Amino acid sequence: MREKLRPAWQRVRQGLTEHLVDRIRRRVDRIRRRFLYELNQLRESFDVFRRVAPNVMLILSGVAVLTVPLVFTLYSPELLPSPRHTDGGLPLRWRVVIGAVWLIPAFMTVLEARARLKQQEGRWGDELANVPVPATVQTLDELLRSGTHGTPPSYRWSVYVFDDDRHLLYPIFPDPTDDESSPYVFKVGQGATGLAWQNRTVVLASGDAVSDATHGLTEAQQNEFRAYRSVVAAPIAAGATTIGVLTGISEIDDPYFTTSAGLRTLRNLADTVGMALVTALPAPEPARSKRSL
């Protein structure tokens, strides 16, 4: 009898085992899906926090920077009056501590503002490097022709923009290139172009300094510019943001840009080029509301 019941019992046991395994598998699968859902929610929350946190920190730092001197200016007589301080003010040691702590948000505010400016300049460079507008090239051809604005006709003009990813200045006019090995590509602080970008000011060089190692040129760049005797570079600005560099180079050692009239002409020319570049950028697409989607 036992032998007859054994196959049936084995089938029942196998069925129970399969049912139990299936239940365990379904439960594990539910736990796994729940875990992945919670993990995705956490990731989305972290992404939101990462986008919002810099703005919140900047606002809090700005409020702290403004609040501390405001409170001490308006309410200093009422702050912690002490019999030892007839003026009712804080002891000197507390003022030193508060001043030191106040420097932290002030420093954070400066760093954040500087980082945002750098980021904006990098975006400008990325956008300008990809502007395929023939009209812009034609405009720059006209603006930067030989002898433009009364400048010496020996100068040849180039327009550079900054690549934020590679931290290099690339020419976009008249001979654009993105080849890092090109002698016409400059690091920040290298050559007149790199110095004008780094210092946000006009840079002049003449004589041997145009093509020797004075301003950090590589050997290939020194060979490329050996025939030139004058170079000028001016930052190109769009409002308060520097978006590029205008560089002129000449085979003649010409002192024109060392004069006040020459410097004024160079800055005006750089401003005009900046306006032409900004105008060439495509207008942003209008935001669409959810109702229109």
Side-chain angles (χ1 to χ4, degrees):
M1 186 68 177
R2 184 177 298 176
E3 294 297 330
K4 292 181 180 179
L5 292 176
R6 182 173 297 174
W9 167 245
Q10 288 178 347
R11 286 195 298 271
V12 171
R13 187 174 61 179
Q14 183 178 0
L16 289 174
T17 302
E18 291 176 353
H19 177 69
L20 181 60
V21 170
D22 185 61
R23 287 189 61 184
I24 294 174
R25 184 183 296 112
R26 289 200 302 268
R27 185 165 183 81
V28 169
D29 188 59
R30 285 198 300 270
I31 294 174
R32 183 183 63 85
R33 289 199 303 268
R34 183 66 183 178
F35 173 75
L36 292 177
Y37 173 78
E38 295 294 341
L39 182 62
N40 186 58
Q41 292 294 106
L42 182 62
R43 185 183 295 113
E44 291 180 358
S45 300
F46 178 74
D47 289 340
V48 172
F49 172 78
R50 187 173 57 183
R51 291 193 299 268
V52 173
N55 295 328
V56 174
M57 291 301 297
L58 182 61
I59 293 173
L60 293 178
S61 298
V63 170
V65 169
L66 294 175
T67 301
V68 172
L70 179 64
V71 169
F72 273 83
T73 300
L74 296 180
Y75 305 107
S76 57
E78 290 80 11
L79 291 175
L80 296 178
S82 170
R84 292 181 300 169
H85 303 276
T86 57
D87 61 352
L90 287 175
L92 177 61
R93 61 178 179 275
W94 285 108
R95 299 184 187 188
V96 172
V97 171
I98 293 174
V101 173
W102 176 79
L103 287 176
I104 297 175
F107 188 65
M108 290 176 59
T109 303
V110 172
L111 286 181
E112 180 65 21
R114 187 171 183 271
R116 287 174 180 250
L117 179 60
K118 291 288 185 182
Q119 186 179 16
Q120 179 63 34
E121 290 173 348
R123 287 199 297 265
W124 273 107
D126 293 339
E127 293 178 358
L128 291 172
N130 297 313
V131 173
V133 184
T136 305
V137 177
Q138 185 176 355
T139 301
L140 292 177
D141 272 330
E142 181 63 25
L143 280 175
L144 302 177
R145 68 187 188 281
S146 176
T148 181
H149 287 62
T151 58
S154 61
Y155 279 88
R156 180 172 59 86
W157 299 96
S158 300
V159 177
Y160 287 82
V161 295
F162 182 69
D163 187 311
D164 190 49
D165 294 328
R166 292 183 280 186
H167 295 277
L168 295 171
L169 288 152
Y170 290 88
I172 61 169
F173 176 87
D175 300 312
T177 181
D178 59 358
D179 182 5
E180 294 185 22
S181 63
S182 170
Y184 291 91
V185 174
F186 296 95
K187 299 177 182 178
V188 175
Q190 183 182 56
T193 301
L195 284 170
W197 174 266
Q198 181 183 62
N199 300 329
R200 304 298 196 267
T201 187
V202 173
V203 175
L204 311 174
S206 61
D208 293 337
V210 174
S211 60
D212 62 16
T214 302
H215 300 306
L217 296 181
T218 64
E219 186 175 345
Q221 289 171 328
Q222 293 179 42
N223 292 331
E224 180 69 23
F225 302 120
R226 197 173 301 281
Y228 295 95
R229 307 301 294 171
S230 292
V231 63
V232 294
I236 301 171
T241 305
T242 303
I243 63 175
V245 175
L246 174 65
T247 302
I249 193 166
S250 171
E251 294 182 356
I252 300 174
D253 190 348
D254 195 307
Y256 174 75
F257 291 106
T258 62
T259 66
S260 58
L263 287 175
R264 186 165 54 250
T265 299
L266 179 61
R267 292 192 178 98
N268 290 339
L269 184 58
D271 291 341
T272 306
V273 171
M275 293 176 60
L277 293 177
V278 172
T279 303
L281 292 174
E285 295 183 1
R288 295 182 295 175
S289 64
K290 294 183 179 179
R291 186 177 300 177
S292 65
L293 295 177

